[in-house]
Amino acid sequence: MNNKQQQLNVNIDIKNTRPVVSEDGNQVFAEGVILRKVSRFVTGTQEDGIIPIPCFYDVATGKVLVELLPKELREEFEGDNI
């Protein structure tokens, strides 16, 4: 059994968790997608490619939860609203 399957079988008591709170104190988030273009020269295809990157954002302010983005994108989205 691989690590991913083992992690899914772990029982977690919800009382032992902490809420995720935005910098504005909100706790309700929606899922969005950041789209990144990849040059056709990199993909080796006739057209540029698109990479979808899932993200979460605060529904009250539209601010992306930067801490959940890949490290390479965090600086780019600091302080941004969707």
Side-chain angles (χ1 to χ4, degrees):
M1 189 180 314
N2 66 32
N3 286 341
K4 190 171 186 176
Q5 289 175 332
Q6 289 176 347
Q7 291 173 352
L8 296 176
N9 292 328
V10 174
N11 286 331
I12 298 174
D13 184 351
I14 198 73
K15 292 181 216 170
N16 294 327
T17 64
R18 299 175 290 154
V20 174
V21 181
S22 72
E23 61 186 36
D24 297 305
N26 301 315
Q27 295 185 36
V28 179
F29 304 96
E31 188 172 7
V33 178
I34 296 168
L35 299 175
R36 304 287 292 198
K37 280 190 176 185
V38 182
S39 168
R40 66 179 187 250
F41 301 111
V42 173
T43 63
T45 60
Q46 292 184 359
E47 297 180 8
D48 291 346
I50 300 291
I51 299 175
I53 301 170
C55 68
F56 290 94
Y57 64 92
D58 182 333
V59 296
T61 65
K63 292 181 181 177
V64 174
L65 279 176
V66 176
E67 67 212 37
L68 300 179
L69 290 177
K71 291 178 183 176
E72 299 83 1
L73 295 178
R74 290 179 186 174
E75 186 176 318
E76 184 176 331
F77 284 88
E78 282 291 333
D80 279 357
N81 292 346
I82 58 167

Coordinates of all heavy atoms in Angstrom, one line a residue:
M1 N 0.8 -1.2 0.0 CA 0.0 0.0 0.0 C 0.9 1.2 0.0 O 1.8 1.3 0.8 CB -0.9 0.0 1.3 CG -1.9 1.0 1.2 SD -3.0 1.1 2.7 CE -3.5 -0.5 3.0
N2 N 0.6 2.2 -0.8 CA 1.4 3.4 -0.9 C 1.0 4.4 0.2 O 0.0 4.3 0.9 CB 1.4 4.1 -2.3 CG 0.0 4.6 -2.6 OD1 -0.7 5.1 -1.8 ND2 -0.3 4.6 -3.9
N3 N 1.9 5.5 0.4 CA 1.6 6.4 1.5 C 0.3 7.2 1.3 O -0.3 7.5 2.3 CB 2.8 7.5 1.5 CG 4.0 6.9 2.0 OD1 4.0 5.8 2.7 ND2 5.2 7.5 1.8
K4 N -0.1 7.5 0.1 CA -1.4 8.2 -0.1 C -2.5 7.4 0.4 O -3.4 7.9 1.1 CB -1.6 8.5 -1.6 CG -2.7 9.5 -1.8 CD -2.7 10.0 -3.2 CE -3.8 11.0 -3.4 NZ -3.8 11.6 -4.7
Q5 N -2.6 6.1 0.1 CA -3.7 5.3 0.6 C -3.6 5.2 2.1 O -4.7 5.2 2.8 CB -3.6 3.9 0.0 CG -3.9 3.9 -1.5 CD -3.7 2.5 -2.1 OE1 -2.9 1.7 -1.6 NE2 -4.5 2.2 -3.1
Q6 N -2.5 5.1 2.7 CA -2.4 5.0 4.2 C -2.9 6.3 4.8 O -3.5 6.3 5.8 CB -0.9 4.8 4.6 CG -0.5 3.4 4.3 CD 1.0 3.2 4.6 OE1 1.7 4.1 4.9 NE2 1.4 1.9 4.6
Q7 N -2.6 7.5 4.2 CA -3.0 8.7 4.8 C -4.5 8.9 4.8 O -5.1 9.4 5.6 CB -2.4 9.9 4.0 CG -0.9 10.0 4.2 CD -0.3 11.1 3.3 OE1 -0.9 11.6 2.5 NE2 1.0 11.4 3.6
L8 N -5.2 8.3 3.7 CA -6.6 8.4 3.6 C -7.3 7.6 4.7 O -8.5 7.9 5.0 CB -7.1 8.0 2.2 CG -6.6 8.9 1.1 CD1 -7.0 8.3 -0.3 CD2 -7.1 10.3 1.2
N9 N -6.7 6.6 5.2 CA -7.3 5.7 6.2 C -7.1 6.2 7.7 O -7.5 5.5 8.6 CB -6.8 4.3 6.1 CG -7.3 3.7 4.8 OD1 -8.3 4.0 4.3 ND2 -6.4 2.8 4.2
V10 N -6.5 7.3 7.9 CA -6.2 7.8 9.2 C -7.5 8.5 9.8 O -8.2 9.3 9.1 CB -5.1 8.9 9.2 CG1 -4.9 9.5 10.5 CG2 -3.8 8.3 8.7
N11 N -7.9 8.1 11.0 CA -9.0 8.7 11.6 C -8.6 9.9 12.3 O -7.7 9.9 13.1 CB -9.6 7.7 12.7 CG -10.4 6.6 12.0 OD1 -10.9 6.8 10.9 ND2 -10.4 5.4 12.7
I12 N -9.2 11.1 12.0 CA -8.9 12.3 12.6 C -10.1 12.8 13.3 O -11.2 13.0 12.8 CB -8.5 13.4 11.5 CG1 -7.2 12.9 10.8 CG2 -8.3 14.7 12.1 CD1 -6.8 13.7 9.6
D13 N -9.9 13.2 14.6 CA -11.0 13.7 15.4 C -11.1 15.2 15.1 O -10.1 16.0 15.2 CB -10.7 13.5 16.9 CG -11.8 14.0 17.8 OD1 -12.8 14.7 17.3 OD2 -11.7 13.7 19.0
I14 N -12.2 15.7 14.6 CA -12.4 17.1 14.2 C -12.2 18.0 15.3 O -11.8 19.2 15.1 CB -13.8 17.3 13.5 CG1 -13.9 18.5 12.7 CG2 -14.9 17.3 14.6 CD1 -13.2 18.5 11.4
K15 N -12.3 17.6 16.5 CA -12.0 18.4 17.7 C -10.5 18.7 17.8 O -10.2 19.7 18.5 CB -12.5 17.7 19.0 CG -14.0 17.6 19.1 CD -14.4 16.9 20.4 CE -15.6 16.1 20.2 NZ -15.8 15.2 21.3
N16 N -9.7 17.9 17.2 CA -8.2 18.1 17.3 C -7.7 18.9 16.1 O -6.5 18.8 15.7 CB -7.5 16.8 17.4 CG -7.8 16.1 18.7 OD1 -8.0 16.7 19.7 ND2 -7.9 14.8 18.6
T17 N -8.6 19.7 15.4 CA -8.1 20.4 14.3 C -8.3 21.9 14.6 O -8.9 22.3 15.6 CB -9.0 20.1 13.0 OG1 -10.4 20.5 13.3 CG2 -8.9 18.6 12.7
R18 N -7.7 22.8 13.7 CA -7.8 24.2 13.9 C -8.5 24.8 12.6 O -8.3 24.3 11.5 CB -6.4 24.8 14.0 CG -5.6 24.4 15.2 CD -4.2 24.9 15.1 NE -3.5 24.3 14.0 CZ -2.5 24.8 13.4 NH1 -2.0 26.0 13.7 NH2 -1.9 24.2 12.4
P19 N -9.2 25.9 12.8 CA -9.8 26.5 11.6 C -8.8 27.2 10.7 O -7.8 27.6 11.2 CB -10.8 27.5 12.2 CG -10.2 27.8 13.5 CD -9.5 26.6 14.0
V20 N -9.1 27.2 9.4 CA -8.3 28.0 8.5 C -9.0 29.4 8.4 O -10.2 29.5 8.1 CB -8.2 27.4 7.1 CG1 -7.5 28.3 6.1 CG2 -7.5 26.1 7.2
V21 N -8.3 30.5 8.7 CA -8.9 31.8 8.8 C -8.1 32.7 7.9 O -6.9 32.7 7.9 CB -8.8 32.3 10.3 CG1 -9.4 33.7 10.3 CG2 -9.5 31.4 11.2
S22 N -8.8 33.5 7.1 CA -8.1 34.4 6.2 C -7.5 35.6 7.0 O -7.8 35.7 8.2 CB -9.1 35.0 5.2 OG -10.0 35.9 5.8
E23 N -6.7 36.4 6.3 CA -6.1 37.5 7.0 C -7.1 38.5 7.5 O -6.9 39.3 8.4 CB -5.0 38.2 6.2 CG -5.6 38.7 4.9 CD -4.5 39.3 4.0 OE1 -3.4 38.7 3.9 OE2 -4.8 40.3 3.3
D24 N -8.3 38.5 6.9 CA -9.4 39.3 7.4 C -10.3 38.7 8.4 O -11.4 39.3 8.7 CB -10.2 39.8 6.1 CG -9.4 40.6 5.2 OD1 -8.8 41.6 5.6 OD2 -9.3 40.2 4.0
G25 N -10.0 37.5 8.8 CA -10.8 36.8 9.9 C -11.9 36.0 9.4 O -12.8 35.5 10.2
N26 N -12.0 35.8 8.1 CA -13.1 35.0 7.5 C -12.8 33.5 7.4 O -11.6 33.2 7.3 CB -13.5 35.5 6.1 CG -13.9 37.0 6.2 OD1 -14.7 37.4 7.0 ND2 -13.4 37.8 5.3
Q27 N -13.8 32.7 7.5 CA -13.6 31.2 7.5 C -14.4 30.5 6.4 O -14.4 29.3 6.3 CB -14.0 30.6 8.8 CG -13.2 31.1 10.0 CD -13.5 30.4 11.3 OE1 -13.8 29.2 11.3 NE2 -13.5 31.1 12.4
V28 N -15.0 31.2 5.5 CA -15.7 30.6 4.4 C -15.0 30.9 3.1 O -14.7 32.0 2.7 CB -17.2 31.2 4.3 CG1 -17.9 30.5 3.1 CG2 -17.9 30.9 5.6
F29 N -14.7 29.8 2.3 CA -13.9 29.9 1.1 C -14.6 29.2 0.0 O -15.4 28.3 0.2 CB -12.5 29.2 1.4 CG -11.8 29.8 2.5 CD1 -11.8 29.3 3.8 CD2 -11.1 31.0 2.4 CE1 -11.2 29.9 4.9 CE2 -10.4 31.6 3.5 CZ -10.5 31.0 4.7
A30 N -14.2 29.6 -1.2 CA -14.7 28.9 -2.4 C -13.4 28.4 -3.2 O -12.3 28.9 -3.0 CB -15.5 29.9 -3.3
E31 N -13.7 27.5 -4.1 CA -12.6 26.9 -4.9 C -12.6 27.6 -6.2 O -13.6 27.8 -6.9 CB -12.7 25.4 -5.1 CG -11.5 24.8 -5.7 CD -11.6 23.3 -5.7 OE1 -12.6 22.7 -5.4 OE2 -10.6 22.7 -6.1
G32 N -11.4 28.0 -6.7 CA -11.2 28.6 -8.0 C -10.1 27.9 -8.7 O -9.5 27.0 -8.2
V33 N -9.7 28.4 -9.9 CA -8.6 27.9 -10.7 C -7.8 29.0 -11.2 O -8.4 29.9 -11.8 CB -9.2 27.0 -11.8 CG1 -8.0 26.4 -12.6 CG2 -10.0 25.8 -11.3
I34 N -6.5 28.9 -11.0 CA -5.6 29.8 -11.7 C -5.1 29.1 -12.9 O -4.7 28.0 -12.9 CB -4.4 30.1 -10.7 CG1 -4.9 30.8 -9.5 CG2 -3.3 30.9 -11.4 CD1 -3.9 30.9 -8.4
L35 N -5.1 29.9 -14.0 CA -4.7 29.3 -15.3 C -3.4 29.9 -15.7 O -3.2 31.1 -15.7 CB -5.7 29.5 -16.4 CG -7.1 28.9 -16.2 CD1 -8.1 29.4 -17.3 CD2 -7.0 27.4 -16.1
R36 N -2.4 29.0 -16.1 CA -1.1 29.4 -16.5 C -0.9 28.9 -17.9 O -1.2 27.7 -18.2 CB 0.0 28.8 -15.6 CG -0.2 29.2 -14.1 CD 0.1 30.6 -13.8 NE 1.5 30.8 -14.0 CZ 2.2 31.9 -13.5 NH1 1.5 32.7 -12.8 NH2 3.5 32.0 -13.7
K37 N -0.3 29.8 -18.7 CA 0.0 29.4 -20.1 C 1.4 28.8 -20.2 O 2.3 29.3 -19.5 CB 0.0 30.6 -21.1 CG -1.4 31.0 -21.5 CD -1.3 32.0 -22.6 CE -2.7 32.3 -23.1 NZ -2.6 33.2 -24.2
V38 N 1.6 27.8 -21.0 CA 2.9 27.1 -21.3 C 3.1 27.2 -22.8 O 2.3 26.9 -23.6 CB 2.9 25.7 -20.8 CG1 4.2 25.1 -21.0 CG2 2.4 25.5 -19.4
S39 N 4.3 27.7 -23.1 CA 4.7 27.9 -24.5 C 4.6 26.6 -25.3 O 5.0 25.5 -24.7 CB 6.1 28.5 -24.6 OG 6.6 28.4 -25.9
R40 N 4.2 26.6 -26.5 CA 4.2 25.4 -27.3 C 5.6 24.9 -27.5 O 5.8 23.7 -27.8 CB 3.6 25.8 -28.7 CG 4.3 26.7 -29.5 CD 3.6 27.0 -30.9 NE 4.5 27.7 -31.7 CZ 4.3 29.0 -32.1 NH1 3.2 29.6 -31.6 NH2 5.1 29.6 -32.9
F41 N 6.6 25.7 -27.4 CA 8.0 25.2 -27.5 C 8.4 24.4 -26.3 O 9.2 23.5 -26.4 CB 9.0 26.4 -27.6 CG 8.6 27.2 -28.8 CD1 8.1 28.5 -28.7 CD2 8.8 26.8 -30.1 CE1 7.8 29.3 -29.8 CE2 8.5 27.5 -31.2 CZ 8.0 28.8 -31.1
V42 N 7.8 24.6 -25.1 CA 8.0 23.8 -24.0 C 7.2 22.5 -24.0 O 7.7 21.5 -23.7 CB 7.7 24.6 -22.7 CG1 7.8 23.7 -21.4 CG2 8.6 25.8 -22.6
T43 N 5.9 22.7 -24.4 CA 5.1 21.5 -24.5 C 5.3 20.6 -25.7 O 5.0 19.4 -25.6 CB 3.6 21.9 -24.5 OG1 3.3 22.6 -25.8 CG2 3.2 22.7 -23.3
G44 N 6.0 21.1 -26.7 CA 6.3 20.3 -27.9 C 5.0 20.1 -28.8 O 5.0 19.1 -29.5
T45 N 4.0 20.9 -28.6 CA 2.8 20.8 -29.4 C 2.7 22.0 -30.3 O 3.5 22.9 -30.3 CB 1.6 20.8 -28.5 OG1 1.5 22.0 -27.7 CG2 1.6 19.6 -27.5
Q46 N 1.7 22.0 -31.2 CA 1.5 23.1 -32.1 C 0.9 24.4 -31.5 O 1.0 25.4 -32.0 CB 0.6 22.7 -33.3 CG 1.3 21.6 -34.1 CD 0.4 21.3 -35.3 OE1 -0.7 21.8 -35.5 NE2 1.0 20.4 -36.2
E47 N 0.3 24.2 -30.3 CA -0.3 25.4 -29.6 C 0.2 25.5 -28.2 O 0.7 24.5 -27.6 CB -1.9 25.2 -29.6 CG -2.5 25.2 -30.9 CD -4.0 25.0 -30.9 OE1 -4.6 25.1 -29.8 OE2 -4.6 24.9 -31.9
D48 N 0.1 26.7 -27.6 CA 0.4 26.8 -26.2 C -0.5 26.0 -25.4 O -1.6 25.7 -25.7 CB 0.3 28.3 -25.8 CG 1.3 29.2 -26.4 OD1 2.3 28.7 -27.0 OD2 1.1 30.4 -26.4
G49 N 0.0 25.5 -24.2 CA -0.8 24.7 -23.3 C -1.3 25.6 -22.2 O -0.8 26.7 -21.9
I50 N -2.2 25.0 -21.4 CA -2.8 25.7 -20.2 C -2.7 24.7 -19.1 O -3.0 23.5 -19.2 CB -4.3 26.0 -20.4 CG1 -4.5 27.0 -21.6 CG2 -4.9 26.6 -19.1 CD1 -4.0 28.4 -21.3
I51 N -2.2 25.2 -17.9 CA -2.1 24.4 -16.7 C -3.1 25.0 -15.7 O -3.0 26.1 -15.3 CB -0.7 24.5 -16.1 CG1 0.4 23.9 -17.1 CG2 -0.6 23.7 -14.8 CD1 1.8 24.0 -16.6
P52 N -4.1 24.2 -15.3 CA -5.0 24.7 -14.2 C -4.4 24.4 -12.8 O -3.9 23.3 -12.6 CB -6.2 23.8 -14.5 CG -5.7 22.5 -15.1 CD -4.5 22.9 -15.8
I53 N -4.4 25.4 -12.0 CA -3.9 25.3 -10.6 C -5.1 25.6 -9.7 O -5.5 26.7 -9.6 CB -2.7 26.2 -10.4 CG1 -1.6 25.9 -11.4 CG2 -2.2 26.1 -8.9 CD1 -0.5 26.9 -11.4
P54 N -5.5 24.6 -8.9 CA -6.6 24.8 -8.0 C -6.2 25.7 -6.9 O -5.1 25.7 -6.4 CB -7.0 23.4 -7.5 CG -6.0 22.5 -8.0 CD -5.1 23.2 -8.9
C55 N -7.1 26.6 -6.5 CA -6.9 27.5 -5.3 C -8.1 27.7 -4.6 O -9.2 27.4 -5.0 CB -6.3 28.8 -5.8 SG -7.5 29.8 -6.8
F56 N -8.0 28.3 -3.4 CA -9.1 28.7 -2.6 C -9.1 30.2 -2.3 O -8.0 30.7 -2.2 CB -9.1 27.9 -1.2 CG -9.4 26.5 -1.3 CD1 -8.4 25.6 -1.4 CD2 -10.7 26.0 -1.4 CE1 -8.6 24.2 -1.6 CE2 -11.0 24.7 -1.5 CZ -9.9 23.8 -1.6
Y57 N -10.2 30.8 -2.3 CA -10.3 32.2 -2.0 C -11.4 32.6 -1.0 O -12.4 31.8 -0.9 CB -10.4 33.0 -3.3 CG -11.7 32.8 -4.1 CD1 -12.8 33.6 -3.8 CD2 -11.8 31.7 -5.0 CE1 -14.0 33.3 -4.5 CE2 -13.0 31.5 -5.7 CZ -14.1 32.3 -5.4 OH -15.3 32.1 -6.1
D58 N -11.2 33.6 -0.3 CA -12.1 34.1 0.7 C -13.3 34.7 -0.1 O -13.2 35.6 -0.9 CB -11.4 35.2 1.5 CG -12.3 35.8 2.6 OD1 -13.5 35.8 2.5 OD2 -11.7 36.3 3.6
V59 N -14.5 34.2 0.2 CA -15.7 34.6 -0.5 C -16.1 36.0 -0.2 O -16.7 36.7 -1.0 CB -16.9 33.7 -0.3 CG1 -16.6 32.3 -0.9 CG2 -17.3 33.6 1.1
A60 N -15.7 36.5 1.0 CA -16.1 37.9 1.4 C -15.2 38.9 0.7 O -15.7 40.0 0.3 CB -16.0 38.0 2.9
T61 N -13.9 38.6 0.5 CA -13.0 39.6 0.0 C -12.4 39.3 -1.4 O -11.9 40.2 -2.0 CB -11.8 39.8 1.0 OG1 -11.1 38.5 1.0 CG2 -12.2 40.2 2.4
G62 N -12.6 38.0 -1.8 CA -12.0 37.6 -3.0 C -10.5 37.4 -3.0 O -9.9 37.1 -4.0
K63 N -9.9 37.5 -1.8 CA -8.4 37.2 -1.7 C -8.1 35.8 -1.7 O -8.7 35.0 -1.0 CB -7.9 37.9 -0.4 CG -8.0 39.4 -0.4 CD -7.4 39.9 0.9 CE -7.5 41.4 0.9 NZ -7.0 42.0 2.2
V64 N -7.1 35.4 -2.5 CA -6.6 34.1 -2.6 C -5.9 33.7 -1.3 O -5.2 34.5 -0.8 CB -5.7 33.9 -3.9 CG1 -5.1 32.5 -3.9 CG2 -6.4 34.2 -5.1
L65 N -6.1 32.4 -0.9 CA -5.3 31.9 0.2 C -4.0 31.5 -0.3 O -3.7 30.4 -0.7 CB -6.0 30.7 0.8 CG -7.2 30.9 1.8 CD1 -7.8 29.6 2.2 CD2 -6.7 31.7 3.0
V66 N -3.1 32.5 -0.2 CA -1.7 32.4 -0.8 C -1.0 31.2 -0.2 O -0.2 30.5 -0.9 CB -1.0 33.7 -0.6 CG1 0.4 33.6 -1.1 CG2 -1.7 34.8 -1.4
E67 N -1.1 31.0 1.1 CA -0.4 29.9 1.8 C -0.6 28.5 1.2 O 0.2 27.6 1.4 CB -0.6 29.9 3.3 CG -2.1 29.5 3.6 CD -2.6 30.2 4.8 OE1 -2.3 31.4 5.1 OE2 -3.4 29.6 5.6
L68 N -1.7 28.4 0.5 CA -2.1 27.1 -0.1 C -1.6 26.9 -1.6 O -1.8 25.9 -2.2 CB -3.6 26.8 0.0 CG -4.1 26.8 1.4 CD1 -5.6 26.5 1.4 CD2 -3.4 25.7 2.3
L69 N -1.1 28.0 -2.1 CA -0.6 27.9 -3.5 C 0.8 27.3 -3.5 O 1.5 27.3 -2.5 CB -0.4 29.4 -4.1 CG -1.7 30.1 -4.3 CD1 -1.4 31.5 -4.8 CD2 -2.6 29.4 -5.4
P70 N 1.2 26.8 -4.7 CA 2.6 26.3 -4.9 C 3.5 27.5 -4.5 O 3.3 28.6 -4.8 CB 2.7 26.0 -6.3 CG 1.3 25.7 -6.8 CD 0.4 26.6 -6.0
K71 N 4.6 27.2 -3.9 CA 5.6 28.2 -3.4 C 6.0 29.1 -4.5 O 6.2 30.3 -4.3 CB 6.8 27.5 -2.8 CG 6.5 26.8 -1.5 CD 7.7 26.1 -0.9 CE 7.3 25.4 0.4 NZ 8.4 24.6 0.9
E72 N 6.1 28.6 -5.7 CA 6.6 29.4 -6.9 C 5.6 30.6 -7.2 O 6.0 31.5 -7.9 CB 6.8 28.6 -8.1 CG 7.9 27.5 -7.9 CD 7.3 26.2 -7.2 OE1 6.1 26.1 -6.9 OE2 8.1 25.3 -7.0
L73 N 4.3 30.4 -6.8 CA 3.3 31.4 -7.2 C 2.9 32.4 -6.0 O 2.2 33.3 -6.3 CB 2.0 30.7 -7.7 CG 2.2 30.0 -9.0 CD1 0.8 29.3 -9.3 CD2 2.6 30.9 -10.1
R74 N 3.4 32.1 -4.8 CA 2.9 32.8 -3.7 C 3.2 34.3 -3.8 O 2.4 35.2 -3.5 CB 3.5 32.3 -2.4 CG 2.9 30.9 -2.1 CD 3.5 30.3 -0.9 NE 3.0 28.9 -0.7 CZ 3.4 28.1 0.2 NH1 4.3 28.5 1.1 NH2 2.9 26.9 0.3
E75 N 4.4 34.7 -4.1 CA 4.8 36.1 -4.2 C 3.9 36.8 -5.2 O 3.5 38.0 -5.0 CB 6.3 36.2 -4.6 CG 6.8 37.7 -4.5 CD 8.3 37.7 -4.7 OE1 9.0 36.9 -4.2 OE2 8.7 38.7 -5.5
E76 N 3.6 36.2 -6.3 CA 2.8 36.8 -7.4 C 1.4 37.1 -6.9 O 0.8 38.1 -7.4 CB 2.8 35.8 -8.6 CG 2.1 36.3 -9.8 CD 2.1 35.3 -10.9 OE1 3.1 34.5 -11.0 OE2 1.2 35.4 -11.7
F77 N 0.9 36.4 -6.0 CA -0.5 36.6 -5.6 C -0.7 37.3 -4.2 O -1.8 37.4 -3.7 CB -1.2 35.2 -5.6 CG -1.6 34.8 -6.9 CD1 -0.7 34.0 -7.7 CD2 -2.8 35.2 -7.5 CE1 -1.1 33.6 -9.0 CE2 -3.1 34.8 -8.8 CZ -2.3 34.0 -9.5
E78 N 0.4 37.7 -3.6 CA 0.3 38.4 -2.3 C -0.5 39.7 -2.5 O -0.3 40.5 -3.4 CB 1.7 38.8 -1.8 CG 2.5 37.7 -1.2 CD 1.9 37.2 0.1 OE1 1.3 38.0 0.8 OE2 2.1 36.0 0.4
G79 N -1.5 39.8 -1.7 CA -2.4 41.0 -1.8 C -3.3 41.1 -2.9 O -4.1 42.1 -3.0
D80 N -3.4 40.1 -3.8 CA -4.3 40.1 -4.9 C -5.7 39.7 -4.5 O -5.9 38.9 -3.7 CB -3.8 39.2 -6.0 CG -2.7 39.8 -6.9 OD1 -2.4 41.0 -6.7 OD2 -2.2 39.1 -7.8
N81 N -6.7 40.3 -5.2 CA -8.0 39.8 -5.1 C -8.4 39.2 -6.5 O -7.8 39.5 -7.5 CB -9.0 41.0 -4.9 CG -8.8 41.6 -3.5 OD1 -8.2 41.0 -2.6 ND2 -9.4 42.7 -3.3
I82 N -9.4 38.3 -6.5 CA -9.8 37.7 -7.7 C -10.8 38.6 -8.4 O -11.4 39.4 -7.8 CB -10.3 36.3 -7.6 CG1 -11.5 36.2 -6.6 CG2 -9.2 35.4 -7.1 CD1 -12.2 34.9 -6.6

